[in-house]
Amino acid sequence: MTEETPGFDEKPDVPSGASPDDAEPKAAAPSSEEGAAPAGDASENAGLVAQLDQVRTALNERTADLQRLQAEYQNYRRRVERDRVAVKEVAVANLLTELLPMLDDIGRAREHGELVGGFKSVAESLETVIAKMGLQQFGKEGEPFDPTIHEALMHSYAPDVTETTCVAILQPGYRIGERTIRPARVAVAEPQPGAQTVKPAEESTEAKDGSDAAENKESGGPEEG
C-alpha cells in the first residue's frame, strides 16, 4: 500500500512539451463591447445637454410671452377703468346740465324771499344731492374776469377798478371737479379810457409837496437870504 507524502500538493497534469506557465489560468481579455462603453456614454451626455438647452430656450420664450401678456392685460384694465370713469363723468355732467335751469329758479326764488315752506325743503334736498354728485357753484362779484370760466353779457366802465372785473353775477357758473359745465354769466367793468393808476409812493410824494406849498403860502413864502 502506497503512502502519500505529506506537505506536497498535487499539481495538475501538464502535457509533455508544455511549459509550466501553460498550466496557469489566463485572465479573460476584455471584450470589444466593454471597450466601446465610454464613447457611448459621452455621446449620450452630449444629447442630454442639447435637449436641456432646447428646454431652457423654450422656457425662456414662454416666460417672455407670459410677461408680455400680463403687461397687455394690465394696460387693458387701466384703459377700461379710465373709460369707465370718463363715461360716468359724462353721464353725471349731462344729468346735472339738465338740472341747471331748476337751480337758477331756486336761486332767484331765494333772492326774492320766495323760498319758503315745502318748496324750501325740496330745494335744499335737491342742492344737497347735487353737491354729493360733485357739482360746485362759482362766480362772485369783484373777482377778476377770466374768459375761461366767465361769459360777459354786459360791459361798462368804472373809475374804481384797475382791471376788467366782474361787477354783477347774472347766472352762477357750475363745474364738476376741473370740468366746467357752464361758465358764470357776468357783467364786467373796465377802467375808464385814458385813466392812469397812480402808485402809492407817487401819491404820498404829491401829498407832501402839496402840504409844503400850502405852508409856504401861509408864511408868506420862503425866507430870502
Side-chain angles (χ1 to χ4, degrees):
M1 189 173 191
T2 305
E3 295 181 358
E4 295 179 357
T5 304
F8 293 94
D9 296 333
E10 294 182 357
K11 295 183 179 180
D13 296 337
V14 179
S16 59
S19 62
D21 295 337
D22 293 339
E24 298 293 334
K26 296 181 179 180
S31 62
S32 60
E33 295 179 356
E34 293 179 356
D41 293 341
S43 61
E44 184 178 357
N45 291 337
L48 292 175
V49 171
Q51 292 179 1
L52 181 60
D53 291 339
Q54 293 178 356
V55 171
R56 287 177 178 174
T57 301
L59 177 62
N60 293 333
E61 292 177 354
R62 298 299 179 272
T63 302
D65 293 340
L66 180 61
Q67 292 175 348
R68 183 170 56 256
L69 289 175
Q70 185 176 7
E72 292 178 355
Y73 177 68
Q74 294 296 334
N75 293 333
Y76 169 76
R77 287 187 59 185
R78 284 193 289 267
R79 287 195 304 269
V80 169
E81 182 65 19
R82 185 172 60 250
D83 294 343
R84 186 184 66 81
V85 172
V87 169
K88 180 180 178 181
E89 291 179 352
V90 171
V92 172
N94 292 336
L95 173 62
L96 295 177
T97 301
E98 297 296 328
L99 296 177
L100 294 185
M102 186 182 302
L103 298 177
D104 293 336
D105 293 338
I106 294 174
R108 283 190 291 267
R110 181 178 286 112
E111 291 176 357
H112 292 85
E114 300 176 356
L115 196 64
V116 294
F119 179 48
K120 179 180 179 181
S121 177
V122 173
E124 291 176 350
S125 299
L126 177 61
E127 291 174 341
T128 301
V129 171
I130 63 176
K132 290 181 179 179
M133 297 178 69
L135 185 66
Q136 299 176 353
Q137 180 178 315
F138 66 90
K140 295 181 180 180
E141 295 182 3
E143 63 185 6
F145 176 75
D146 185 352
T148 61
I149 61 174
H150 295 139
E151 181 182 354
L153 301 182
M154 299 178 63
H155 177 270
S156 62
Y157 295 96
D160 57 343
V161 297
T162 58
E163 59 180 342
T164 305
T165 306
C166 301
V167 295
I169 306 299
L170 306 179
Q171 278 185 338
Y174 291 95
R175 67 165 62 98
I176 301 177
E178 299 297 329
R179 179 178 181 179
T180 301
I181 62 175
R182 190 182 77 179
R185 294 168 180 171
V186 299
V188 299
E190 292 182 351
Q192 290 285 356
Q196 296 181 355
T197 303
V198 180
K199 297 181 180 179
E202 295 178 355
E203 291 179 351
S204 60
T205 302
E206 291 178 358
K208 183 178 180 180
D209 293 342
S211 61
D212 292 342
E215 291 177 359
N216 292 334
K217 184 176 181 181
E218 292 176 357
S219 60
E223 297 180 358
E224 293 181 0

